[in-house]
Amino acid sequence: MPIPDLPDPALRYLPHWLAAGQADALFASLRTGIAWERHRLRLFGREIAAPRLSCWIGDADASYTYSRTRFEPRPWPRALLAIRARLCEEFDADCNGVLANLYRDGNDAMGWHADDEPEIDPRAPILSLSLGATRRFALRRRDDHARRHAIELAHGSLLVMPAGLQQAWQHALPRTARRIGPRINLTFRTIMALR
Ligand SMILES: O=C(O)CCC(=O)C(=O)O
Ligand SMILES: [Mn+2]
């Protein structure tokens, strides 16, 4: 369903993109089946360990540089092949890579940023699948930080970030003091060959 008060380009939030049983099974499979690692982030000239665990997964040629670190893709886990195929078909997107993130509890988070690295195809949507604990996803305009929105991303939901969104908006996944369980987020991206 479109989110009514969000300016263009409009986000779409599909709360039950995966049926609950499928979402449960995918969460369990990825929780143990992904080689989770702690990525390093460069912030204001300092290097810090990201407050979450991640893994860059994709086709062999889909290497991805973010926060000035280059990640070579890990192969697709079996459990993600059907998901990727369904996304490619439904959204007519290539989705040759996915950043998997594991937020172990409410202390794990991600600060303000946009997914606008040069190798991300700006004509393609970024498709964000959430599993596990519900977490708040915050957005703010790049040119006016007072213009904000937030969406609660539920288990089995898909958030469609359309082409153009990253250029106008930043997003974040804030910490929460609520006692909550783990969450996995998968952001499917289309990586272009840079030359
Ligand atoms: O966990 C989320 O919902 C968002 C993650 C994110 O924005 C990212 O990894 O680039
Ligand atoms: Mn992001």
Side-chain angles (χ1 to χ4, degrees):
M1 73 185 82
I3 294 165
D5 61 341
L6 193 69
D8 282 345
L11 280 168
R12 281 172 68 203
Y13 179 62
L14 308 169
H16 307 293
W17 192 77
L18 277 184
Q22 263 184 306
D24 294 349
L26 186 60
F27 181 90
S29 160
L30 299 179
R31 176 80 185 81
T32 53
I34 285 182
W36 296 106
E37 44 194 63
R38 202 147 182 210
H39 288 173
R40 314 277 313 165
L41 299 179
R42 247 169 271 211
L43 280 185
F44 309 114
R46 278 195 317 136
E47 203 177 84
I48 59 153
R52 63 179 185 179
L53 303 182
S54 301
C55 183
W56 174 245
I57 294 164
D59 293 350
D61 57 355
S63 59
Y64 177 37
T65 301
Y66 81 96
S67 214
R68 286 194 272 157
T69 305
R70 182 181 166 107
F71 294 95
E72 297 305 333
R74 301 264 187 165
W76 293 93
R78 255 183 97 76
L80 282 187
L81 293 176
I83 300 286
R84 181 208 185 178
R86 185 178 158 199
L87 287 170
C88 288
E89 187 171 327
E90 268 185 48
F91 298 96
D92 195 21
D94 192 13
C95 300
N96 55 358
V98 58
L99 184 64
N101 294 305
L102 172 63
Y103 302 88
R104 293 158 291 186
D105 58 28
N107 275 319
D108 276 358
M110 180 66 185
W112 290 110
H113 70 283
D115 301 327
D116 61 350
E117 288 81 13
E119 62 268 61
I120 294 188
D121 187 341
R123 297 157 301 184
I126 294 181
L127 304 167
S128 172
L129 180 60
S130 291
L131 303 165
T134 297
R135 293 286 298 258
R136 174 164 295 194
F137 182 83
L139 293 131
R140 70 179 185 193
R141 277 288 304 189
R142 283 187 163 198
D143 58 4
D144 180 1
H145 288 180
R147 279 180 67 192
R148 289 173 182 236
H149 295 272
I151 308 169
E152 302 289 332
L153 298 182
H155 184 50
S157 73
L158 186 74
L159 181 69
V160 181
M161 295 192 261
L165 185 89
Q166 308 299 326
Q167 287 65 38
W169 294 81
Q170 292 179 316
H171 56 268
L173 198 92
R175 286 199 167 77
T176 170
R178 281 185 300 126
R179 286 176 64 83
I180 52 161
R183 166 179 184 262
I184 291 174
N185 174 258
L186 304 164
T187 46
F188 290 83
R189 299 149 194 242
T190 301
I191 301 296
M192 306 181 291
L194 289 181
R195 41 189 106 243

